[in-house]
Amino acid sequence: RSGSVAASKSLSSLSALRDTTRTAKFYKMAPKKVLLVSTSAGSMGGKATGLWISELAEPYYACTEAGLDVTIASIAGGAIPIDAGSLADAFFTADAKKFLHDAAAVGALTHSVKVDASMAGAYDAVVMCGGHGTCVDFHGAAAATLKSVIEGTHAAGKVVGALCHGPCSLVDCVKPDGSALVAGLEVTCFTNAEEEAVGATDWVKTYAKLPQDALPQDALAAKGATFKEGAPFSSTVAVSGTVITGQNPQSAEELGKAVVAALA
């Protein structure tokens, strides 16, 4: 009888060990999670705009091809408006074309998750994609929930990324001590020179409603950021601790790779 009890205990211990091993393997194998956030604004000042598609597609593939678990979200949730300009031949990159022919990717784009406060700290990286639509809903009252997600993500020591006009989302953000999140950090975004080159300076100053009607570059600098300015339309990425920013559409792939590297 004592032998039977000992055998039973041994089997129970073996079963518990197997369960523990399975659990350990599950957590070891679970991929890190990335949230790509898009604008939901399809116009600004009566002019059509939206998401610049390559600025989501290129980080999306950089992350998914690295085995990361990617969720696409937007301010309002649901279908995301695409800036028609980003579909023009000169800007419609290979990854953007691939994305729009990818059933799973398009499904995620047209059924995006609404940004929610519960996302703060729930993802290993939160990346704000670009397009002039972000000038409408990535700051101010429209972005109150996004602001809390970014602040919570940064406070948790996780990665915050932003591309092109996506860094508009960082202007209002603060650290737990109340200081500006970007103060003392090297960051970049679509530059004043690039806004001028595409004829968008007055449009952005008039309708974006950033503090003091500033362009994004100046709004970030006013918050104490050290601005990294690359040549117009060159790939330029700034990595400052866990904050990673890209200057323009040409920086989308490099930014995606920088996020992957930060999560490695």
Side-chain angles (χ1 to χ4, degrees):
R1 186 176 296 171
S2 61
S4 176
V5 171
S8 178
K9 287 182 177 179
S10 179
L11 287 171
S12 295
S13 297
L14 181 59
S15 178
L17 178 61
R18 285 173 177 168
D19 288 342
T20 301
T21 302
R22 288 193 192 101
T23 302
K25 284 183 177 179
F26 172 79
Y27 283 109
K28 184 178 181 181
M29 294 173 64
K32 290 186 176 180
K33 300 196 300 179
V34 177
L35 186 70
L36 298 181
V37 184
S38 170
T39 179
S40 290
S43 66
M44 181 170 73
K47 180 179 178 180
T49 183
L51 165 72
W52 199 264
I53 187 62
S54 66
E55 294 177 14
L56 186 148
E58 294 184 23
Y60 175 87
Y61 284 119
C63 291
T64 56
E65 289 171 4
L68 302 177
D69 181 6
V70 178
T71 297
I72 295 176
S74 64
I75 299 300
I80 293 173
I82 298 173
D83 190 318
S86 67
L87 304 177
D89 287 344
F91 309 112
F92 199 23
T93 65
D95 274 349
K97 293 173 184 176
K98 178 182 176 181
F99 188 95
L100 292 181
H101 286 88
D102 181 331
V106 171
L109 186 76
T110 55
H111 299 87
S112 68
V113 178
K114 184 176 181 178
V115 171
D116 184 85
S118 65
M119 294 171 170
Y123 289 83
D124 298 289
V126 176
V127 179
M128 277 56 67
C129 305
H132 274 102
T134 63
C135 295
V136 176
D137 61 4
F138 268 26
H139 67 95
T145 303
L146 178 60
K147 176 177 180 289
S148 71
V149 171
I150 295 170
E151 290 173 346
T153 300
H154 185 262
K158 298 185 177 182
V159 174
V160 171
L163 177 63
C164 197
H165 289 87
C168 287
S169 63
L170 305 180
V171 173
D172 297 335
C173 292
V174 296
K175 300 172 188 174
D177 65 5
S179 62
L181 189 150
V182 297
L185 300 182
E186 183 178 58
V187 300
T188 190
C189 71
F190 204 63
T191 66
N192 294 353
E194 288 169 327
E195 296 285 15
E196 187 66 24
V198 300
T201 299
D202 291 341
W203 180 46
V204 173
K205 282 186 173 182
T206 302
Y207 297 108
K209 303 301 182 186
L210 285 162
Q212 287 75 53
D213 295 331
L215 293 173
Q217 174 179 339
D218 296 330
L220 290 167
K223 292 292 183 175
T226 297
F227 194 80
K228 180 178 182 178
E229 182 171 0
F233 310 109
S234 67
S235 180
T236 302
V237 169
V239 179
S240 195
T242 58
V243 177
I244 303 172
T245 49
Q247 181 172 310
N248 46 36
Q250 291 76 17
S251 308
E253 182 178 3
E254 185 181 348
L255 178 130
K257 290 179 178 179
V259 170
V260 170
L263 296 179

